[in-house]
Amino acid sequence: MSSSLILGSFLAASLIGSPALHAADASQASATSELTTPKHRLETLFGELKREREPDKAREISERIRIEWQDSGSASVNLLMQWAAKAMEANRQAAALDMLDQVIALSPHYVEGWNQRATLHYQMGNYRKSMSDINRVLAIEPRHFGALAGMAAILTSAGKDELALRAWEQFLDIYPADRKAQEQLGELEEKLAGNRT
């Protein structure tokens, strides 16, 4: 499998995340939701993610973070996001883009609206627009590891390996147990070391 395909599949998984909750995930999400505010829950989860060294446990924490990000606090925005996800799955990109534009207009500080539009632009090959949306995601939530993975993938495909390396380093500072990110960082370090000799 080519590195661009690996990066693309990693990007899609990182940016989109898993839409379905398993029973165990639901109970963990329920326990986390007992904390006071979404901001407080995210702070707690990011602390756990940074400390966790076991990849499977870290993945569970990352899924709980994604669940927190998905809830906009608005029933209308949440519904538009569901419709956009279904349109993306059905390869109806223009419809999905229209819905995500509406999400952003209705809720410009909702991080997942920008993130999903970045993912869609990436899938459509609009890397400049995807990178612009990624920058908006990171302005709202600098710890958005999915957006950092997307940024690293775009930078790698553009041949900007040193910048991609920095994006992976930022990703791993937030989510140290992610094996795919560790592999991508290692490959870039080897490539850059080879270029310097």
Side-chain angles (χ1 to χ4, degrees):
M1 184 182 274
S2 74
S3 62
S4 63
L5 285 174
I6 292 169
L7 285 171
S9 62
F10 181 61
L11 170 68
S14 295
L15 290 179
I16 296 173
S18 173
L21 282 175
H22 302 322
D25 292 336
S27 66
Q28 289 173 344
S30 170
T32 305
S33 67
E34 292 172 11
L35 298 171
T36 53
T37 65
K39 184 176 180 178
H40 185 262
R41 289 192 298 268
L42 277 172
E43 291 302 321
T44 301
L45 288 166
F46 274 115
E48 290 175 18
L49 186 63
K50 191 171 181 87
R51 289 187 302 273
E52 184 57 60
R53 293 299 180 252
E54 212 290 307
D56 289 336
K57 289 181 182 175
R59 192 173 308 110
E60 289 172 12
I61 296 167
S62 75
E63 285 302 314
R64 288 163 50 203
I65 290 170
R66 285 184 177 104
I67 290 165
E68 289 293 329
W69 283 335
Q70 286 172 0
D71 184 12
S72 69
S74 161
S76 300
V77 170
N78 289 348
L79 186 59
L80 280 167
M81 288 294 287
Q82 289 173 10
W83 290 346
K86 287 179 182 175
M88 287 169 74
E89 287 171 17
N91 207 25
R92 294 180 17 248
Q93 296 169 328
L97 187 58
D98 182 51
M99 287 177 243
L100 292 170
D101 288 345
Q102 290 177 50
V103 164
I104 289 166
L106 288 169
S107 187
H109 298 292
Y110 173 50
V111 71
E112 279 308 290
W114 293 101
N115 186 52
Q116 290 303 310
R117 196 171 77 174
T119 300
L120 180 58
H121 281 309
Y122 181 87
Q123 291 171 347
M124 295 169 71
N126 300 331
Y127 302 128
R128 188 178 305 246
K129 289 180 179 180
S130 181
M131 187 66 87
S132 176
D133 284 351
I134 287 169
N135 285 326
R136 292 301 296 262
V137 170
L138 294 173
I140 297 166
E141 175 51 87
R143 301 167 299 185
H144 200 296
F145 46 85
L148 286 167
M151 177 180 279
I154 292 169
L155 291 168
T156 299
S157 67
K160 298 181 179 181
D161 294 335
E162 289 192 24
L163 292 173
L165 181 94
R166 283 191 228 144
W168 284 123
E169 287 172 342
Q170 283 181 275
F171 179 106
L172 286 166
D173 185 52
I174 297 159
Y175 188 168
D178 189 283
R179 294 270 193 249
K180 289 180 184 175
Q182 292 168 4
E183 289 167 13
Q184 294 295 328
L185 180 67
E187 287 174 18
L188 279 170
E189 286 174 335
E190 285 178 28
K191 183 178 178 184
L192 288 167
N195 290 345
R196 291 187 186 113
T197 57

Short mmCIF file of all heavy atoms in Angstrom, two decimals, residues 22-47:
data_model
loop_
_atom_site.label_atom_id
_atom_site.label_comp_id
_atom_site.label_asym_id
_atom_site.label_seq_id
_atom_site.Cartn_x
_atom_site.Cartn_y
_atom_site.Cartn_z
N HIS A 22 -20.25 1.61 21.06
CA HIS A 22 -20.51 0.27 21.57
C HIS A 22 -21.06 0.43 22.99
O HIS A 22 -20.95 1.49 23.58
CB HIS A 22 -19.23 -0.56 21.58
CG HIS A 22 -18.60 -0.68 20.22
ND1 HIS A 22 -19.32 -0.82 19.06
CD2 HIS A 22 -17.31 -0.68 19.85
CE1 HIS A 22 -18.51 -0.91 18.05
NE2 HIS A 22 -17.27 -0.81 18.49
N ALA A 23 -21.62 -0.62 23.53
CA ALA A 23 -22.21 -0.54 24.87
C ALA A 23 -21.17 -0.10 25.90
O ALA A 23 -21.47 0.72 26.77
CB ALA A 23 -22.80 -1.89 25.25
N ALA A 24 -19.94 -0.61 25.79
CA ALA A 24 -18.89 -0.24 26.75
C ALA A 24 -18.55 1.24 26.61
O ALA A 24 -18.37 1.94 27.61
CB ALA A 24 -17.65 -1.08 26.53
N ASP A 25 -18.48 1.73 25.35
CA ASP A 25 -18.19 3.14 25.13
C ASP A 25 -19.29 4.01 25.70
O ASP A 25 -19.04 5.07 26.26
CB ASP A 25 -18.04 3.44 23.63
CG ASP A 25 -16.81 2.79 23.02
OD1 ASP A 25 -15.86 2.51 23.79
OD2 ASP A 25 -16.80 2.55 21.81
N ALA A 26 -20.53 3.57 25.56
CA ALA A 26 -21.67 4.34 26.06
C ALA A 26 -21.59 4.47 27.58
O ALA A 26 -21.86 5.54 28.13
CB ALA A 26 -22.98 3.69 25.64
N SER A 27 -21.21 3.38 28.26
CA SER A 27 -21.14 3.45 29.72
C SER A 27 -19.99 4.35 30.16
O SER A 27 -20.12 5.10 31.13
CB SER A 27 -20.99 2.06 30.33
OG SER A 27 -19.76 1.48 29.97
N GLN A 28 -18.86 4.31 29.42
CA GLN A 28 -17.76 5.20 29.76
C GLN A 28 -18.14 6.65 29.51
O GLN A 28 -17.83 7.53 30.30
CB GLN A 28 -16.52 4.85 28.93
CG GLN A 28 -15.88 3.55 29.36
CD GLN A 28 -14.76 3.14 28.43
OE1 GLN A 28 -14.63 3.64 27.34
NE2 GLN A 28 -13.96 2.20 28.88
N ALA A 29 -18.81 6.90 28.39
CA ALA A 29 -19.25 8.26 28.07
C ALA A 29 -20.22 8.75 29.14
O ALA A 29 -20.18 9.91 29.53
CB ALA A 29 -19.89 8.30 26.69
N SER A 30 -21.08 7.85 29.61
CA SER A 30 -22.05 8.21 30.64
C SER A 30 -21.34 8.60 31.94
O SER A 30 -21.69 9.58 32.58
CB SER A 30 -23.00 7.04 30.88
OG SER A 30 -23.78 7.28 32.00
N ALA A 31 -20.32 7.81 32.30
CA ALA A 31 -19.57 8.12 33.52
C ALA A 31 -18.87 9.47 33.39
O ALA A 31 -18.85 10.26 34.33
CB ALA A 31 -18.55 7.01 33.81
N THR A 32 -18.30 9.73 32.21
CA THR A 32 -17.62 11.00 31.99
C THR A 32 -18.59 12.16 32.01
O THR A 32 -18.27 13.24 32.50
CB THR A 32 -16.87 10.97 30.64
OG1 THR A 32 -16.01 9.84 30.63
CG2 THR A 32 -16.04 12.21 30.44
N SER A 33 -19.81 11.97 31.50
CA SER A 33 -20.77 13.07 31.40
C SER A 33 -21.27 13.53 32.76
O SER A 33 -21.89 14.57 32.86
CB SER A 33 -21.95 12.68 30.50
OG SER A 33 -22.69 11.66 31.11
N GLU A 34 -20.98 12.75 33.80
CA GLU A 34 -21.38 13.17 35.14
C GLU A 34 -20.54 14.34 35.64
O GLU A 34 -20.91 15.00 36.59
CB GLU A 34 -21.29 11.98 36.11
CG GLU A 34 -22.33 10.91 35.80
CD GLU A 34 -22.12 9.65 36.62
OE1 GLU A 34 -21.31 9.66 37.56
OE2 GLU A 34 -22.78 8.66 36.30
N LEU A 35 -19.37 14.57 35.00
CA LEU A 35 -18.57 15.72 35.37
C LEU A 35 -19.32 16.98 34.95
O LEU A 35 -20.19 16.94 34.08
CB LEU A 35 -17.20 15.65 34.68
CG LEU A 35 -16.35 14.42 35.07
CD1 LEU A 35 -15.14 14.33 34.19
CD2 LEU A 35 -15.95 14.49 36.53
N THR A 36 -18.96 18.10 35.50
CA THR A 36 -19.78 19.30 35.40
C THR A 36 -20.04 19.84 33.99
O THR A 36 -21.18 19.91 33.57
CB THR A 36 -19.17 20.42 36.26
OG1 THR A 36 -17.80 20.58 35.90
CG2 THR A 36 -19.29 20.09 37.73
N THR A 37 -19.03 20.24 33.27
CA THR A 37 -19.25 20.90 31.98
C THR A 37 -18.50 20.16 30.88
O THR A 37 -17.54 19.43 31.15
CB THR A 37 -18.75 22.35 32.02
OG1 THR A 37 -17.32 22.33 32.19
CG2 THR A 37 -19.39 23.14 33.15
N PRO A 38 -18.89 20.39 29.60
CA PRO A 38 -18.12 19.78 28.50
C PRO A 38 -16.64 20.17 28.55
O PRO A 38 -15.78 19.32 28.31
CB PRO A 38 -18.80 20.34 27.24
CG PRO A 38 -20.20 20.65 27.67
CD PRO A 38 -20.08 21.09 29.12
N LYS A 39 -16.35 21.42 28.88
CA LYS A 39 -14.95 21.87 28.96
C LYS A 39 -14.20 21.08 30.04
O LYS A 39 -13.07 20.63 29.81
CB LYS A 39 -14.90 23.37 29.25
CG LYS A 39 -13.52 23.93 29.24
CD LYS A 39 -13.51 25.43 29.44
CE LYS A 39 -12.09 25.95 29.44
NZ LYS A 39 -12.02 27.39 29.59
N HIS A 40 -14.83 20.90 31.19
CA HIS A 40 -14.20 20.16 32.29
C HIS A 40 -13.99 18.69 31.89
O HIS A 40 -12.94 18.10 32.17
CB HIS A 40 -15.05 20.26 33.56
CG HIS A 40 -14.39 19.63 34.74
ND1 HIS A 40 -14.70 18.36 35.17
CD2 HIS A 40 -13.42 20.09 35.57
CE1 HIS A 40 -13.95 18.06 36.22
NE2 HIS A 40 -13.17 19.09 36.48
N ARG A 41 -14.99 18.10 31.23
CA ARG A 41 -14.86 16.71 30.77
C ARG A 41 -13.70 16.57 29.78
O ARG A 41 -12.92 15.63 29.88
CB ARG A 41 -16.17 16.22 30.14
CG ARG A 41 -17.28 16.01 31.15
CD ARG A 41 -18.47 15.27 30.57
NE ARG A 41 -19.13 15.94 29.47
CZ ARG A 41 -20.17 16.77 29.60
NH1 ARG A 41 -20.65 17.06 30.80
NH2 ARG A 41 -20.73 17.31 28.54
N LEU A 42 -13.60 17.52 28.86
CA LEU A 42 -12.50 17.47 27.88
C LEU A 42 -11.14 17.60 28.57
O LEU A 42 -10.21 16.86 28.23
CB LEU A 42 -12.66 18.56 26.82
CG LEU A 42 -13.61 18.23 25.67
CD1 LEU A 42 -13.82 19.46 24.79
CD2 LEU A 42 -13.09 17.07 24.83
N GLU A 43 -11.03 18.52 29.52
CA GLU A 43 -9.76 18.68 30.23
C GLU A 43 -9.36 17.37 30.91
O GLU A 43 -8.20 16.95 30.84
CB GLU A 43 -9.86 19.80 31.28
CG GLU A 43 -9.99 21.19 30.70
CD GLU A 43 -8.85 21.59 29.78
OE1 GLU A 43 -7.68 21.26 30.07
OE2 GLU A 43 -9.13 22.21 28.74
N THR A 44 -10.32 16.72 31.56
CA THR A 44 -10.06 15.45 32.24
C THR A 44 -9.64 14.38 31.24
O THR A 44 -8.65 13.66 31.45
CB THR A 44 -11.31 14.99 33.01
OG1 THR A 44 -11.65 16.01 33.96
CG2 THR A 44 -11.08 13.67 33.73
N LEU A 45 -10.36 14.28 30.13
CA LEU A 45 -10.05 13.27 29.12
C LEU A 45 -8.69 13.51 28.47
O LEU A 45 -7.93 12.56 28.24
CB LEU A 45 -11.15 13.23 28.05
CG LEU A 45 -12.48 12.63 28.51
CD1 LEU A 45 -13.59 12.93 27.51
CD2 LEU A 45 -12.34 11.13 28.73
N PHE A 46 -8.37 14.76 28.17
CA PHE A 46 -7.05 15.05 27.58
C PHE A 46 -5.93 14.71 28.55
O PHE A 46 -4.87 14.24 28.13
CB PHE A 46 -6.96 16.51 27.11
CG PHE A 46 -7.49 16.71 25.72
CD1 PHE A 46 -8.61 17.48 25.51
CD2 PHE A 46 -6.86 16.13 24.63
CE1 PHE A 46 -9.11 17.68 24.23
CE2 PHE A 46 -7.36 16.32 23.34
CZ PHE A 46 -8.47 17.09 23.14
N GLY A 47 -6.15 14.95 29.84
CA GLY A 47 -5.16 14.55 30.84
C GLY A 47 -4.96 13.05 30.85
O GLY A 47 -3.82 12.55 30.89
#
